[in-house]
Amino acid sequence: MATGVKPRVRAPKTATPGEVVVLKTLISHPMESGQRRDSDGNIIPRSIINRFTCTYGGETVIEMELHGAISTNPYIEFEAKVPASGEFVFTWYDDDGDVYEERAEVTVA
Amino acid sequence: MILTRRAIMQIGAGAAVAAGLTPFMASAKKYDDALAEFTGGAEVIDGEIELTTPEIAENGNTVPVSVAAPGAAMIAIFADGNPEAEVAVFTFGPLAGSQAASTRIRLAQTQNVIAVAQMGDGSFRRVAREVKVTIGGCGG
């Protein structure tokens, strides 16, 4: 079980129509790869975020499949096109079934 | 090297001489498998995509990686010297501002980071960059 998971997103509050904006996301998560061993030599069970998606106004911006080789506190940076005012929805899917969500509204003028 | 049952199964009956298989070879095979799974066995052409990695990573636990492939539908990142070669797969939607993304990855040892992009026409492009790792990122 991952505890203390906190998603953070940096997105602009305003944009011009059709502008390409940079989105930066960070989520605090141990991303235990399942490759490490504890001091007794037992494998520490894998616990990672295995999928990330970002949508804007219901349309997909990016989807990402994450494996054990993604660092602790996964950082993802990408770009999105904003045709009109709307809301970004960022969703992270954990191995243990938990889903973390963060939203960011953008006003297009 | 301790051979797990799975590793023995993979080596196969005819290759018993390969019992001394090095970890490098074992992981290289995993990369080939992972690549074949991503491309479905299709031909992969080198070039036309960008992969930015540091030349030397002092800490293999967090290595910044950026990939850009204009016109790509999907981009996969592999690390051929990691216990599990697959790192990430990006799929770009209709609102993607560019076919590019950045993240931070773990590298167990000095190895190649490989980006493979599936372009809009279904062809595959590949680029590889060697990253020298001072401290490995898989907890020994």
Side-chain angles (χ1 to χ4, degrees):
Chain A
M1 280 295 280
T3 51
V5 176
K6 186 170 182 284
R8 266 164 288 187
V9 165
R10 184 178 293 174
K13 290 204 161 49
T14 58
T16 54
E19 189 181 336
V20 172
V21 299
V22 177
L23 303 167
K24 296 179 181 184
T25 76
L26 186 77
I27 185 162
S28 49
H29 192 283
M31 292 295 280
E32 193 56 65
S33 66
Q35 302 285 347
R36 296 199 307 155
R37 289 171 188 276
D38 62 19
S39 49
D40 298 327
N42 303 313
I43 287 179
I44 304 170
R46 178 181 125 141
S47 167
I48 68 166
I49 288 169
N50 55 50
R51 188 161 166 256
F52 165 77
T53 64
C54 172
T55 62
Y56 185 73
E59 276 209 86
T60 305
V61 175
I62 197 169
E63 281 182 27
M64 181 184 178
E65 184 187 309
L66 292 82
H67 292 269
I70 298 291
S71 300
T72 303
N73 303 336
Y75 168 81
I76 310 162
E77 182 183 331
F78 53 96
E79 294 182 323
K81 227 180 295 178
V82 285
S85 292
E87 190 179 44
F88 282 110
V89 180
F90 305 88
T91 318
W92 292 261
Y93 299 85
D94 198 304
D95 266 356
D96 62 18
D98 281 351
V99 175
Y100 318 108
E101 197 178 87
E102 183 76 5
R103 290 162 183 267
E105 268 184 59
V106 182
T107 308
V108 171
Chain B
M1 179 184 171
I2 300 157
L3 284 174
T4 60
R5 185 176 167 274
R6 181 183 291 180
I8 292 166
M9 298 297 277
Q10 282 173 344
I11 289 164
V17 273
L21 203 67
T22 65
F24 171 75
M25 285 173 69
S27 55
K29 182 162 179 289
K30 293 186 86 171
Y31 160 64
D32 288 344
D33 287 347
L35 178 68
E37 197 182 306
F38 180 66
T39 62
E43 191 191 357
V44 182
I45 305 158
D46 283 324
E48 284 186 46
I49 68 174
E50 275 178 50
L51 175 64
T52 312
T53 58
E55 229 169 86
I56 298 173
E58 280 183 20
N59 181 357
N61 270 312
T62 171
V63 182
V65 169
S66 297
V67 65
M74 288 171 82
I75 303 177
I77 299 175
F78 302 103
D80 68 2
N82 269 6
E84 184 196 355
E86 285 178 293
V87 175
V89 181
F90 298 99
T91 309
F92 300 99
L95 283 184
S98 61
Q99 281 69 45
S102 304
T103 187
R104 294 176 191 149
I105 70 172
R106 290 187 180 120
L107 296 174
Q109 62 197 49
T110 296
Q111 59 182 293
N112 293 312
V113 175
I114 301 141
V116 179
Q118 180 175 24
M119 308 308 281
D121 61 5
S123 66
F124 290 93
R125 309 279 178 186
R126 168 173 52 195
V127 63
R129 292 261 179 279
E130 193 192 32
V131 180
K132 290 188 166 57
V133 176
T134 317
I135 305 168
C138 281

